[in-house]
Amino acid sequence: MLAYIIRRVAQSILVLLVTGFVAFSMFSFVGDPVENMLGQERTQADVDRLREQLGLDQPFVVQYGKFLQQAAQGNFGLSYRQGRPVSDILAERLPATLELAAVSGLLALMGGIGFGIFTAIRRRGVGANVIMTLSLVGVSLPTFLIGILLIYVFSVELGWLPSFGRGDVVEIGGWTTGFLTASGLKALVLPAITLGLYQMTLIMRLVRTEMLEVLRMDYIRFARARGLRERAINFRHALKNTLVPVITITGLQLGSIIAFAIITETVFQWPGVGLLFINAIQFVDIPVMAAYLMMISVMFVGINLIVDLLYFAIDPRLRIDGKAGGH
Amino acid sequence: MSDHQAEIETRRTPGRLARAWDSDLAYSFRHAPVAMVSAAVVLILVLSALLAPWIAPYDPFDPGSLNLMNGFTPPGQPNAFTQETFVLGTDDQGRDVFSTILFGMRISLFVGFSAVLLAMVIGVVLGLLAGYLGGWVESVIMRVADIQLTFPAILVAMLIFGIAKGITPPAYRDQMAIWVLILAIGLSDWVQFARVVRGATLVEKSRDYVQAARLVGRRPFSIMIRHILPNVLNPVLVIATISLALAIIAEATLSFLGVGAPPTKPSLGTLIRIGQGFMFSGEWWILLFPALTLLALALSINLLGDWLRDALNPRLR
């Protein structure tokens, strides 16, 4: 088990090193930011001053060393577009994305497990069939179309919910939250559903499959023979054993929720890091792109690592086997 | 005499078409109504995209044929000023929505097919090499695949698009956007192909026919291409079909986000992006019809892929 953990940690560090190299290469190979930042009417003196200010006059190796050193401290220099420190911009945008991701993740988890159990227990019922069919359509619908559809129904036609932005936010010690105001909560509804829907169908299908598998087992049949009530069998015995793969997949999906937030944030003009990243690509704002890449890879690698280690904590069978981590 | 013999031969073995009709695959196809409908939808959409220059009533990219007076004409109703009628209406610049959809679908399909082809070629080659050669080649390839798999494909595609955009000089960006898209989506999607091909190659490698080919003295590359490749193609086909739907959605998503096909060469995603702006002012047709087309395309290819997976590999059912 220890060998496995060491191997896993080493792999995570390797991923971070590779993404770090990619992020740095973006600086050295992509375009001339000075071209982008200064307008048509520029003098050579302007160009030189800006190059020096951005540290672009230094040799490759010096820039690389500086990059590694700075990145470790969370410093990615100035945004080419806004001329402000990237770390400040990210810190200001991050709460919006994390709140959105947390709410959608929770929604996906609760909805997914709830519907999954329902469709597994009432396998032949009409309700279960309707849900399964809807989930198929939901998987085929691109995220941005779901967002547009929700905006059309609830903002344009019904006028119930706002179609863009975050509403009013309250600032608590550098963290802006939309949870505390009515308009903030209202603004959160549509984006959270848009972002959570796909993950919810995934979790639902997984829970359903696992549940059907478990319900077929001998110990469930034995529990029935003992005369336990359906409720106790379904929830205390069956559900418990479906949760291991569900936790793994949910954990891994957390990463893609943050990535897919890019799409949702663009549809709803949600002022988070995803929207920032898309704008950075459009304007070739390399420092922002690089910083986003590093931030998201730290998150992904961290989540994957935690999930893998949790696997051992949750499933005692893996601990006894020791090396049998072959999932 | 040889003529006579040939005649007997043809009489005994039915033609290629008849044999294809009798095959397991065709049998399963004829008994899957969903697959047949999806295939019909895909066929119609692909054909109309291919024939767009001849079918489309207007050329949406010819500024000479555009009349701004025709802007915002609702579908099927005559325009208030020019009395012209458009089946699916017009957008803000007076472009016929039906024509822009046909041309847009052409770009979406072109990008989708090319990207999957690129991903397939890269994935199959690397998968074969990793599976057959093993050793450090395998370690390097599969490690890279693992690292890439840490990130969702759409994110990788965005990143590649951003980097490629940065490398291209600003004057060529719009022109190159389509190729950059193909590169971005193709490179973000090769891992699946490589993993499956590597797995299948490992199985085939130990089979007798490969050992025999080795003994005869065939070189590794010709064994890989002539002997192993044909035997690992089935799963590759299935992944390619499902990847095609994903690639079309990925392209639409990127274009919708404004990091894909430019407004001068709009794909379905770009059209939806443009249409979204008119949702609030009541011109619903500019958004709805491209969105429905994208949906029909992605859904039917997806269903076709599902059927193909089940038909080619009954064990997965």
Side-chain angles (χ1 to χ4, degrees):
Chain A
M1 182 186 166
L2 190 67
Y4 174 76
I5 293 176
I6 292 172
R7 194 147 24 94
R8 243 351 241 97
V9 172
Q11 199 189 339
S12 308
I13 293 171
L14 181 71
V15 174
L16 286 181
L17 283 179
V18 171
T19 44
F21 185 73
V22 171
F24 173 70
S25 325
M26 288 179 4
F27 280 100
S28 7
F29 296 119
V30 175
D32 187 359
V34 177
E35 287 290 323
N36 298 328
M37 281 173 84
L38 294 174
Q40 291 284 322
E41 291 150 23
R42 56 168 193 254
T43 62
Q44 190 55 42
D46 287 338
V47 175
D48 290 344
R49 184 153 24 85
L50 196 60
R51 288 189 78 84
E52 206 187 307
Q53 202 183 332
L54 296 171
L56 292 170
D57 52 345
Q58 313 267 347
F60 182 89
V61 185
V62 175
Q63 286 189 43
Y64 184 38
K66 243 169 134 189
F67 173 81
L68 284 183
Q69 194 190 341
Q70 300 284 334
Q73 297 166 14
N75 187 354
F76 288 88
L78 300 178
S79 155
Y80 291 167
R81 187 165 161 243
Q82 304 186 28
R84 293 198 298 140
V86 176
S87 49
D88 288 4
I89 303 177
L90 276 182
E92 178 184 298
R93 296 278 202 126
L94 199 56
T97 299
L98 288 182
E99 283 188 356
L100 177 61
V103 173
S104 336
L106 210 63
L107 187 80
L109 194 62
M110 293 191 321
I113 292 181
F115 284 128
I117 294 171
F118 177 77
T119 47
I121 294 176
R122 308 218 184 292
R123 186 149 56 113
R124 309 206 189 284
V126 181
N129 276 322
V130 169
I131 292 173
M132 287 306 286
T133 316
L134 278 181
S135 80
L136 242 189
V137 178
V139 170
S140 306
L141 265 174
T143 311
F144 69 96
L145 277 186
I146 293 178
I148 291 176
L149 188 72
L150 288 176
I151 290 180
Y152 183 74
V153 174
F154 292 101
S155 302
V156 179
E157 287 298 315
L158 297 172
W160 290 352
L161 296 163
S163 62
F164 68 91
R166 236 189 129 185
D168 297 324
V169 290
V170 178
E171 197 172 332
I172 306 169
W175 178 282
T176 56
T177 179
F179 287 155
L180 298 176
T181 62
S183 74
L185 287 175
K186 266 173 115 178
L188 192 59
V189 177
L190 293 184
I193 294 177
T194 307
L195 186 54
L197 212 54
Y198 182 78
Q199 262 68 30
M200 187 169 93
T201 48
L202 271 188
I203 295 175
M204 180 193 106
R205 290 176 156 261
L206 185 74
V207 170
R208 177 177 176 273
T209 321
E210 289 292 327
M211 192 83 176
L212 288 176
E213 197 83 2
V214 170
L215 284 175
R216 239 179 267 148
M217 298 270 199
D218 281 345
Y219 72 87
I220 296 289
R221 206 176 298 163
F222 181 63
R224 282 227 169 84
R226 272 165 68 201
L228 293 183
R229 278 175 304 147
E230 268 311 294
R231 189 184 261 290
I233 295 172
N234 285 335
F235 290 93
R236 202 165 310 150
H237 296 264
L239 182 62
K240 224 173 169 183
N241 284 294
T242 62
L243 284 184
V244 175
V246 172
I247 289 172
T248 319
I249 297 288
T250 312
L252 296 178
Q253 289 302 316
L254 263 182
S256 44
I257 281 188
I258 290 167
F260 277 97
I262 298 172
I263 302 167
T264 311
E265 285 178 12
T266 311
V267 176
F268 290 94
Q269 291 298 302
W270 186 265
V273 283
L275 188 59
L276 183 74
F277 179 60
I278 278 295
N279 290 334
I281 294 180
Q282 281 162 352
F283 293 97
V284 198
D285 192 346
I286 300 294
V288 175
M289 279 166 68
Y292 180 84
L293 174 67
M294 284 317 289
M295 186 189 78
I296 211 166
S297 51
V298 169
M299 279 186 191
F300 278 22
V301 169
I303 290 170
N304 284 1
L305 190 63
I306 292 171
V307 167
D308 270 9
L309 298 182
L310 262 186
Y311 219 73
F312 278 92
I314 294 170
D315 197 335
R317 281 170 298 182
L318 290 174
R319 257 176 288 163
I320 295 164
D321 278 354
K323 61 178 169 44
H327 55 276
Chain B
M1 178 207 144
S2 62
D3 272 359
H4 188 63
Q5 229 170 18
E7 201 180 49
I8 292 174
E9 282 293 313
T10 41
R11 218 181 290 160
R12 214 177 293 149
T13 56
R16 224 167 239 243
L17 215 68
R19 258 185 297 155
W21 183 250
D22 273 338
S23 70
D24 289 349
L25 203 61
Y27 177 85
S28 133
F29 184 72
R30 274 178 288 152
H31 289 78
V34 176
M36 285 164 76
V37 172
S38 323
V41 173
V42 173
L43 199 68
I44 291 170
L45 290 175
V46 169
L47 274 183
S48 48
L50 280 178
L51 301 175
W54 295 278
I55 298 178
Y58 301 87
D59 181 358
F61 304 112
D62 173 19
S65 75
L66 290 183
N67 184 353
L68 276 178
M69 297 290 276
N70 277 332
F72 296 131
T73 314
Q77 293 168 28
N79 181 282
F81 306 104
T82 59
Q83 299 307 317
E84 279 186 78
T85 322
F86 301 88
V87 200
L88 300 183
T90 61
D91 66 2
D92 55 329
Q93 297 172 40
R95 287 191 293 200
D96 176 38
V97 170
F98 180 58
S99 306
T100 52
I101 288 178
L102 287 180
F103 279 95
M105 200 159 58
R106 230 168 127 87
I107 292 175
S108 292
L109 281 169
F110 175 68
V111 172
F113 272 112
S114 315
V116 170
L117 199 68
L118 180 66
M120 194 163 86
V121 170
I122 297 174
V124 168
V125 168
L126 292 183
L128 273 176
L129 288 175
Y132 191 81
L133 297 180
W136 65 269
V137 178
E138 184 181 23
S139 309
V140 170
I141 293 176
M142 295 331 279
R143 219 11 40 108
V144 172
D146 281 347
I147 291 176
Q148 189 170 330
L149 266 192
T150 316
F151 303 93
I154 190 88
L155 188 70
V156 176
M158 280 177 196
L159 205 68
I160 297 172
F161 186 90
I163 296 173
K165 188 178 175 182
I167 296 173
T168 9
Y172 296 100
R173 275 181 194 162
D174 272 12
Q175 251 175 296
M176 297 295 292
I178 301 289
W179 302 103
V180 170
L181 258 181
I182 293 172
L183 187 77
I185 299 174
L187 285 183
S188 70
D189 200 35
W190 64 273
V191 176
Q192 291 194 66
F193 289 98
R195 289 194 140 193
V196 167
V197 169
R198 171 181 163 268
T201 305
L202 284 177
V203 174
E204 296 297 324
K205 201 170 111 179
S206 56
R207 294 265 162 89
D208 288 343
Y209 71 89
V210 174
Q211 302 299 334
R214 256 197 201 152
L215 282 177
V216 173
R218 293 211 82 152
R219 284 210 301 242
F221 285 99
S222 81
I223 295 179
M224 272 185 248
I225 290 168
R226 296 287 283 280
H227 300 283
I228 296 180
L229 184 62
N231 287 305
V232 300
L233 273 185
N234 265 1
V236 169
L237 259 181
V238 176
I239 299 177
T241 324
I242 294 170
S243 289
L244 181 61
L246 290 178
I248 287 173
I249 288 182
E251 186 279 330
T253 304
L254 291 178
S255 296
F256 172 80
L257 296 178
V259 291
T264 46
K265 262 191 196 155
S267 72
L268 288 176
T270 321
L271 293 178
I272 294 171
R273 176 186 174 81
I274 296 170
Q276 197 205 5
F278 301 108
M279 186 166 64
F280 295 96
S281 48
E283 285 89 16
W284 50 269
W285 58 90
I286 307 177
L287 171 67
L288 180 69
F289 296 120
L292 283 181
T293 315
L294 174 66
L295 202 59
L297 197 60
L299 191 62
S300 48
I301 295 178
N302 243 336
L303 290 172
L304 211 55
D306 272 357
W307 162 78
L308 195 63
R309 182 187 54 202
D310 293 348
L312 284 181
N313 192 352
R315 266 169 306 167
L316 280 177
R317 221 170 277 175

